Amino acid sequence: MSENTEDMGNTSNGGEIRLPEAPVLVIAGNKTTWLSTDGEIEEESIEATRLRIPNEPPLLIHRLAVARKLDLNPFTAFDILELYAFVCPAVPCLPTPRGLARALDLELPVSLEDQAMTLFEAMNLLLSKLAKLPEAERKSASQIAMTMARAGWNWGPSVLAALGIADGGGPYGGLDVWKSLKEWPDFAPDPPPDDISVSEMEARHRLRELLHIDAEERPQQSDFAAAVAGAFVPRDREDQPHVVLAEAGTGTGKTLGYIAPASLWAEKNGAAVWISTYTKNLQRQIDEELDSLFPNKAEKEAKTVIRKGRENYVCLLNYEEALQGGAARPQDKIILGIIARWLIATRDGDIGGDLPGWLMDLTGSSRITRLADRRGECIYSACSHYKKCFIEKSTRKAKKAEIVIANHALVMINAASRPDDPQLPKRHVFDEGHHLFDAADSAFAAHLTGMEGAELRRWISGSDTARKGRMRGLEKRISDLIGEDEENLKHLQDAIQASRALTSEGWQKRLEDGLPKGPMEKFLLQIRQLVKARTHTPDTPYSIECPATEFTPEALSAAAELEKALGDLADPLMKLAKALVKRLEDDAEDLDSASRQRIEAAVQGLSRRTTMVIRPWQSILKDLEETAPDSFVDWLGIERIGGRDADLGYYRSWIDPTKPFAETLLKPSHGVVITSATLRDQSEEDLDWQSADLRTGASHLILPPKRTRLTSPFNFKEQTRIIVVTDVRRDHIREVASAYRELFLAAKGGALGLFTAIWRLREVYKNILGPLAENGIDLYAQHQDAMNTATLVDIFREEENSVLLGTDAVRDGVDVPGRSLRLLVFDRVPWPRPDLKHKARKAAFGGNRYDDMLTRFKLKQAYGRLLRRESDFGVFVMLDSMMPTRLTSAFPPDVPIERVGLKDAIALTRNFIAEKESELQKISLDKAR
C-alpha cells in the first residue's frame, strides 16, 4: 500500500481525486506500451518489461492475464478491474481496454497508445463516480474500503480519498451488508393450475406481439411457434405427454418462437413453463429475449426467474462465517470487500450470473466458490439469514413465475430425486436438445469414487478439518428436528459412526502411499492397482481406465467389506427419514411452515442419498463377480488433472441414459418441446428421425412425438464456403500451426480455431501468438489465458478482429453474430473419444454408423455457428485431408465442398471474406443515401 490508512483519520471529507503513482501498461503479442505518470508513451520489449515491473507496479487490466503473457508469476499492480468491481458492482464489463471503454461509455481505443489512455481515463472516471455517490451509499462504501485498505488493497488510499473516511463499521468493518438486504415475502400455496390449450393461431398472434417493428421477417419463426404449440394442450392419458421434436435451422428465431406459446400457456393456466438449456450462455440469451415479453423491468423481475443448482448461489451464512472473529486473511478481506459491494447490488446472488467471471480468475475461484452453498449443508429456517437467502428467494420466485429458465442438469436431478413432488413442473421446453443425451448421462450415472465418498461423508458427519465452527453434518442440521427421542438420536450417531467407512480428506495421498484408512479407501486402493496394472499407459499424465472384470481376491474381499459398511450406513439414514416423516404426520397441527419445510428437505436429502447413491453402490459391489447388467456399461478409472490423481473408482453409466430420462421426466410431464438446430443426423440412413429419437428419449415414449423441421432462412450457398485442406499433415503440429496462422491472417481475425486435444491447442498458440500480434490481431485461448471460457467467448464476441482457440466447450458456448466470427478452422475430424463407455454405446447403436453420426453432429453444430443473422457470412475450414466424404452430409447439400491445397485455401478465404465485406459496405452506403 502506498500510504498508511491508519493516519488518515478524518482528514478527508471525500470528493478528492487522488491518483496512484503508477504508469499504465498494456501488452499485445511481443510488445508492451507504457504511459508514464508524466504522460509520455514508451514502447518496450517483453524482456525489458519483465525487468521493469518488480520496481514499478503498473496500472493495468487483468493482472493475471498480463502475468501469463509476460511469463511471470503474479506481481503487484493496480488492476483497474478491482476498482471497477468496487465502483460498479453487478454491472457487466469485458476485461479488455475496449470492454472497459464500452462499459463506461468512453471512446473505443484502437492503438496500444489509445488503450493506455483509456485505462487512465477510466481510472479517473471511476474515482469520480465514487465521489458522487449518495450519502448513505458513500458511507457504506467507505467503511468497506477502509477494511480493504487496512488489509493492503492498493486502491485503498485513492478510493478513500474519493469517498471520505466514514466512522463506524462495527465488528465486521462494514462488510456485514446482509443487514441491508430485503427479506423475501411469504405467500399462501397456489391452487392447482388450469389446463387450457394454446392454439396454433394464438401462438402466431403472440409471436407478432413479441417481435419488434424493425425485426427481420421470418415466416419459419411463425410456423415454428405454431408447431410447438402442440405441446401446450391437455394430455389424454397418464404417462403419455404431448412431445414435440422441433428441428429449427439456424436463423429460424426459435427462442421467441417457443416463448410465444409458452408464455401464453403460463398466463392462461397460472403455472410456470420451465425452459431448460445446456449452456449458461444460452440461459443469458433467453433472459435477454424475455425483454420483448416483459419490457417493464419490475414485471419481468416478478414473472421470470433464472434457476441454477444451489452451488451457484452465495450463501450468506458462509459469507458471515468467513468474516467472523477477524479470522479472514488480509488478502481474503480484500476479496470479501468486493463481494460485499456485489451483494448489495446483485439481482439474485448468482455467482455465475452478474458477478463478473474475471473476478473469479483474479481472486482464485476457490476463494469465492467457498462462499456458495454446498450440497446438503443448508440448515434452512434454522439459519439466521433464512429470510434473506438468495436461494430461497429464487425458489419462491420460481413458484410464482410464469417463465423459469433452468438447465438440463437441474431439471433432471429434481425429477429423479423428487418423483412424487406435485410441485414439479409439467410443461418443459428443452432448448439445445442435442445435449439431452450428455446431460442425462451425467445425471443418471453411478460413480463409486473417492470424491463422491468424501462428499457423502462430509454431508453426514461434517468436515474433518475446515469450518469446524459450523460442522455442516447431519448433527448440526437435524438434531433439533428429532428432539430428545433417544432412539432417533442413536440412529443419528450410528450414521455418523458408519460414515467413517468412507473416504476422508487426504485420501488421494494415502492411496499413493499405499496406506488406506477404512473400507472405502481399501477398496479404492485395489481399484488403483488394477487400473495401473491393466492399462497400456500407466505413466501417462492423462486419465486412464480398464474394464471392470476379473477382480482379484483382494479386491473382492475389500468390496464385500465396503458393501457391508454401506449397509450399516444406509440403515440408520432410512430410519431417520421414516422418523421425520412420522413427525410430519403426528405433529401436523403444531409445525409451522418453516419447520415443515426443514423436515421435508431433510427427508428428501436422506432418501436421495440412500436410494440414489448408497444403494447403487451396494448393487455394484454385490455384483462384482458378474457381468454388468445389459443396460449399463461399467469400468474402472483414474481421473488425472495436471498429471496427478484427482479421482478414481468404479464407474457405471446407462448405455442409453435417455431411458431413465424418459421415465423420470418425460412421461410424468404433460407437454414437452425439444428443439435444436441439430436434432437429426443428416445421412441416408436417418430419413425417419431415428437419431433424434435416440438422442432425446422419444424412442421410449408410448405416444409418438410430433415431429417438425423448419429449414434455415439463410442462403448458405451464397453466405458460406466449406474447404478441406489436402496438403497439411494433421500429425505434424508445426504444419498445422502454420496453416492456422496464414488462414487467420487472410481473414484479418474474426476467427475461431477448434481443437480435438488441449496439447495441440497449446502448441499452435505458442507458434502463432507473435505473428498475429505483429499484424494487430489479438489472440485468446482456452487453457492458455488466465480467463474462464465464458469470459473468453464474451471478449471474442465484442472484439471483431480477435482470434479465439478452444475445444468443445468453446464450440458449445459460442453464439457470435456479425463480423466477430467469419472464419472457423478445425484442426482435424472430431471423432468421438474411443473410451470404454463409447465402445459399449458404439456396439449398441450401430457400430461405425454411430461414430459417423456423433461426428456429423459436431461438424454441423460448428458450421452452424458461422451464420446467426441474415447479413452474416463465413468460411469453414477442415485441416484434415482424411475427412471422409460420408461426413459431408453434415453440411447443407447445395454448398460445395472444396478440397484444395493450403495455398488455394488461403486465397479462397481471403477473397471470399473481402468480397462479402465489400458487398455489405455497398449495401450500407446505399441505405445511407
Side-chain angles (χ1 to χ4, degrees):
M1 215 165 63
S2 59
E3 61 181 277
N4 190 345
T5 57
E6 296 289 347
D7 297 334
M8 293 182 71
N10 290 312
T11 58
S12 172
N13 292 317
E16 177 186 351
I17 305 303
R18 184 183 305 176
L19 304 180
E21 292 292 322
V24 182
L25 170 64
V26 292
I27 181 170
N30 56 6
K31 292 183 180 179
T32 63
T33 296
W34 294 79
L35 174 64
S36 73
T37 53
D38 296 327
E40 295 181 0
I41 294 291
E42 307 171 58
E43 290 189 1
E44 284 187 342
S45 65
I46 293 289
E47 292 74 17
T49 295
R50 286 197 194 103
L51 298 174
R52 179 174 176 177
I53 275 181
N55 303 314
E56 202 171 356
L59 166 66
L60 46 70
I61 188 165
H62 208 301
R63 177 173 54 91
L64 294 186
V66 172
R68 183 76 63 87
K69 290 177 180 179
L70 294 173
D71 196 22
L72 290 174
N73 292 325
F75 50 83
T76 300
F78 292 86
D79 194 331
I80 199 163
L81 291 177
E82 292 181 16
L83 180 63
Y84 181 89
F86 186 91
V87 180
C88 305
V91 178
C93 171
L94 292 178
T96 65
R98 290 173 63 86
L100 189 65
R102 285 191 183 93
L104 296 176
D105 200 24
L106 298 173
E107 185 176 346
L108 296 183
V110 178
S111 65
L112 288 183
E113 293 84 351
D114 294 340
Q115 292 180 25
M117 286 300 302
T118 294
L119 297 191
F120 183 80
E121 291 174 22
M123 173 179 60
N124 270 291
L125 181 57
L126 289 170
L127 293 173
S128 298
K129 283 179 176 288
L130 286 178
K132 297 173 184 176
L133 288 178
E135 184 176 350
E137 186 179 351
R138 181 192 290 192
K139 179 179 179 181
S140 170
S142 177
Q143 291 170 345
I144 295 170
M146 177 61 81
T147 299
M148 296 170 68
R150 286 173 174 158
W153 190 35
N154 283 354
W155 288 106
S158 297
V159 168
L160 287 170
L163 290 170
I165 307 298
D167 295 327
Y172 294 107
L175 301 186
D176 49 349
V177 294
W178 58 80
K179 294 179 179 178
S180 64
L181 300 179
K182 293 181 180 179
E183 295 185 352
W184 46 259
D186 208 358
F187 301 97
D190 286 331
D194 293 325
D195 204 355
I196 305 171
S197 298
V198 173
S199 71
E200 293 186 5
M201 288 303 298
E202 287 177 311
R204 291 181 191 272
H205 181 70
R206 170 53 63 92
L207 178 63
R208 285 196 296 271
E209 292 177 346
L210 296 179
L211 291 173
H212 300 294
I213 295 174
D214 57 348
E216 295 177 12
E217 279 208 33
R218 301 178 184 180
Q220 296 93 335
Q221 188 176 34
S222 182
D223 292 341
F224 177 87
V228 300
F232 297 98
V233 297
R235 67 176 183 177
D236 300 324
R237 288 183 175 83
E238 189 178 11
D239 289 340
Q240 294 188 24
H242 293 287
V243 175
V244 176
L245 300 185
E247 183 173 76
T250 301
T252 303
K254 66 181 186 311
T255 304
L256 282 181
Y258 60 64
I259 286 175
S263 62
L264 194 54
W265 187 91
E267 286 178 18
K268 282 185 171 187
N269 296 288
V273 175
W274 279 52
I275 299 173
S276 178
T277 75
Y278 189 69
T279 60
K280 291 180 179 179
N281 183 53
L282 185 54
Q283 272 189 307
R284 183 176 59 188
Q285 282 182 241
I286 295 170
D287 182 49
E288 292 170 354
E289 293 276 18
L290 286 172
D291 289 342
S292 299
L293 180 63
F294 302 111
N296 180 280
K297 185 177 180 181
E299 185 183 15
K300 181 182 177 184
E301 283 284 312
K303 294 186 176 182
T304 70
V305 62
I306 297 176
R307 287 286 288 118
K308 298 179 182 177
R310 300 182 70 94
E311 68 279 0
N312 289 282
Y313 298 91
V314 72
C315 168
L316 293 174
L317 190 54
N318 284 355
Y319 174 74
E320 180 185 7
E321 185 183 64
L323 299 174
Q324 283 177 345
R329 297 176 298 173
Q331 189 174 5
D332 287 343
K333 286 185 178 179
I334 296 172
I335 298 163
L336 292 170
I338 293 176
I339 294 296
R341 290 281 293 159
W342 172 73
L343 286 172
I344 297 171
T346 180
R347 169 183 173 180
D348 52 14
D350 178 5
I351 290 175
D354 55 14
L355 183 74
W358 42 257
L359 191 59
M360 303 272 281
D361 303 327
L362 290 176
T363 61
S365 61
S366 63
R367 289 195 173 113
I368 293 179
T369 55
R370 70 189 177 94
L371 302 176
D373 184 68
R374 293 179 63 183
R375 283 190 290 174
E377 74 180 6
C378 185
I379 55 178
Y380 295 91
S381 60
C383 174
S384 58
H385 301 293
Y386 180 65
K387 292 289 287 184
K388 297 181 177 182
C389 174
F390 289 113
I391 300 168
E392 292 299 323
K393 285 181 182 177
S394 177
T395 302
R396 279 162 174 73
K397 279 186 67 178
K399 292 178 180 179
K400 294 289 182 179
E402 293 182 359
I403 301 292
V404 179
I405 309 168
N407 58 70
H408 297 346
L410 176 66
V411 173
M412 291 181 190
I413 290 170
N414 280 347
S417 60
R418 297 155 49 196
D420 301 322
D421 187 349
Q423 299 295 323
L424 286 176
K426 301 301 182 185
R427 303 282 173 175
H428 295 275
V429 176
F430 288 100
D431 203 340
E432 297 182 304
H434 58 280
H435 282 302
L436 282 174
F437 191 97
D438 293 332
D441 189 23
S442 297
F444 298 106
H447 294 170
L448 201 174
T449 69
M451 292 292 284
E452 290 294 322
E455 179 65 27
L456 179 58
R457 176 169 175 160
R458 186 200 62 77
W459 183 82
I460 295 169
S461 60
S463 174
D464 294 331
T465 57
R467 300 192 284 190
K468 288 187 176 179
R470 182 173 166 227
M471 286 183 62
R472 309 287 167 148
L474 281 176
E475 188 168 21
K476 177 71 175 178
R477 295 198 303 278
I478 71 169
S479 58
D480 62 321
L481 298 179
I482 61 179
E484 301 299 324
D485 187 296
E486 291 187 6
E487 184 178 2
N488 289 329
L489 288 172
K490 182 179 183 301
H491 295 329
L492 177 59
Q493 292 305 316
D494 286 347
I496 293 171
Q497 179 67 28
S499 72
R500 294 178 182 173
L502 304 172
T503 45
S504 60
E505 295 176 31
W507 66 269
Q508 293 102 327
K509 182 66 168 61
R510 288 194 293 275
L511 293 193
E512 284 184 14
D513 296 339
L515 301 171
K517 185 172 70 174
M520 190 168 191
E521 292 186 17
K522 289 179 183 177
F523 175 69
L524 291 177
L525 179 62
Q526 297 300 318
I527 296 294
R528 186 175 190 271
Q529 291 172 349
L530 287 175
V531 175
K532 291 181 72 68
R534 295 175 179 178
T535 187
H536 296 292
T537 54
D539 298 323
T540 178
Y542 305 106
S543 299
I544 53 177
E545 60 185 20
C546 72
T549 56
E550 299 188 34
F551 292 89
T552 62
E554 293 84 0
L556 293 173
S557 175
E561 183 182 357
L562 177 57
E563 195 276 325
K564 180 181 182 303
L566 291 174
D568 293 341
L569 176 59
D571 184 58
L573 291 179
M574 287 309 296
K575 288 178 178 177
L576 283 171
K578 291 176 181 177
L580 290 172
V581 170
K582 187 173 185 299
R583 188 183 172 198
L584 282 175
E585 298 169 353
D586 294 346
D587 300 346
E589 292 184 9
D590 301 324
L591 290 171
D592 57 35
S593 297
S595 298
R596 176 172 287 277
Q597 183 187 18
R598 281 190 66 199
I599 294 173
E600 290 172 346
V603 170
Q604 180 186 329
L606 290 164
S607 301
R608 175 184 170 190
R609 283 162 179 80
T610 304
T611 59
M612 296 184 66
V613 179
I614 299 175
R615 295 305 188 201
W617 287 357
Q618 287 184 282
S619 177
I620 286 172
L621 295 166
K622 284 179 182 177
D623 300 334
L624 217 59
E625 294 185 83
E626 308 294 332
T627 57
D630 291 341
S631 296
F632 298 99
V633 53
D634 292 11
W635 72 97
L636 313 178
I638 300 175
E639 295 185 15
R640 288 176 170 160
I641 298 176
R644 298 186 64 85
D645 294 357
D647 201 8
L648 67 93
Y650 191 113
Y651 297 84
R652 168 170 287 178
S653 287
W654 285 80
I655 291 178
D656 181 2
T658 67
K659 184 175 182 179
F661 167 66
E663 292 295 325
T664 60
L665 198 147
L666 290 184
K667 290 183 180 180
S669 297
H670 289 204
V672 179
V673 176
I674 300 176
T675 184
S676 168
T678 52
L679 279 184
R680 300 179 315 118
D681 175 26
Q682 295 176 206
S683 69
E684 293 180 2
E685 297 86 5
D686 191 40
L687 299 179
D688 56 356
W689 289 69
Q690 288 181 356
S691 60
D693 289 351
L694 168 68
R695 305 292 289 174
T696 63
S699 59
H700 305 294
L701 296 174
I702 300 169
L703 180 68
K706 177 183 177 182
R707 302 179 176 96
T708 185
R709 179 172 181 263
L710 295 114
T711 58
S712 171
F714 300 148
N715 187 335
F716 287 95
K717 184 178 180 180
E718 292 297 319
Q719 293 174 255
T720 66
R721 290 290 181 271
I722 301 174
I723 301 170
V724 176
V725 177
T726 58
D727 58 356
V728 171
R729 293 176 293 179
R730 64 184 183 181
D731 294 325
H732 287 65
I733 200 64
R734 286 192 176 275
E735 287 189 25
V736 173
S738 298
Y740 270 106
R741 181 192 66 223
E742 294 305 317
L743 287 165
F744 291 162
L745 290 174
K748 300 180 181 178
L752 177 64
L754 294 177
F755 292 82
T756 52
I758 295 172
W759 74 267
R760 291 169 66 86
L761 180 154
R762 287 175 170 155
E763 287 299 314
V764 169
Y765 177 89
K766 287 190 298 186
N767 280 278
I768 69 175
L769 177 62
L772 293 188
E774 290 174 1
N775 286 272
I777 298 174
D778 292 324
L779 176 64
Y780 300 95
Q782 187 188 16
H783 305 293
Q784 279 297 123
D785 289 293
M787 301 181 195
N788 61 57
T789 300
T791 300
L792 290 171
V793 171
D794 285 342
I795 292 173
F796 178 64
R797 180 183 292 109
E798 294 298 324
E799 304 293 336
E800 282 193 347
N801 297 317
S802 64
V803 167
L804 176 61
L805 309 182
T807 56
D808 277 358
V810 166
R811 185 199 71 231
D812 291 336
V814 166
D815 190 356
V816 181
R819 290 189 71 251
S820 293
L821 179 55
R822 50 190 182 269
L823 171 64
L824 192 151
V825 185
F826 245 122
D827 69 327
R828 58 183 178 181
V829 174
W831 295 111
R833 181 183 175 187
D835 55 23
L836 292 172
K837 180 167 63 173
H838 175 72
K839 180 180 179 181
R841 288 175 177 162
K842 181 176 178 179
F845 296 141
N848 289 334
R849 289 203 309 271
Y850 182 64
D851 280 347
D852 290 351
M853 178 187 74
L854 295 184
T855 306
R856 278 192 291 265
F857 274 134
K858 286 189 176 183
L859 293 173
K860 185 177 180 181
Q861 289 153 19
Y863 171 77
R865 300 297 177 186
L866 285 173
L867 303 188
R868 312 308 289 175
R869 62 188 185 195
E870 191 175 4
S871 59
D872 287 353
F873 59 88
V875 180
F876 180 97
V877 179
M878 172 62 69
L879 295 177
D880 189 345
S881 62
M882 303 296 288
M883 179 173 165
T885 301
R886 66 182 184 276
L887 297 183
T888 59
S889 63
F891 309 117
D894 59 341
V895 180
I897 313 298
E898 303 183 68
R899 294 181 179 267
V900 297
L902 178 60
K903 180 180 178 181
D904 290 336
I906 294 167
L908 281 169
T909 299
R910 180 187 298 112
N911 295 339
F912 179 76
I913 291 175
E915 175 190 337
K916 288 300 174 185
E917 291 191 330
S918 177
E919 289 177 5
L920 288 178
Q921 289 174 0
K922 184 177 183 300
I923 292 171
S924 178
L925 287 173
D926 291 343
K927 285 183 178 179
R929 294 193 186 103

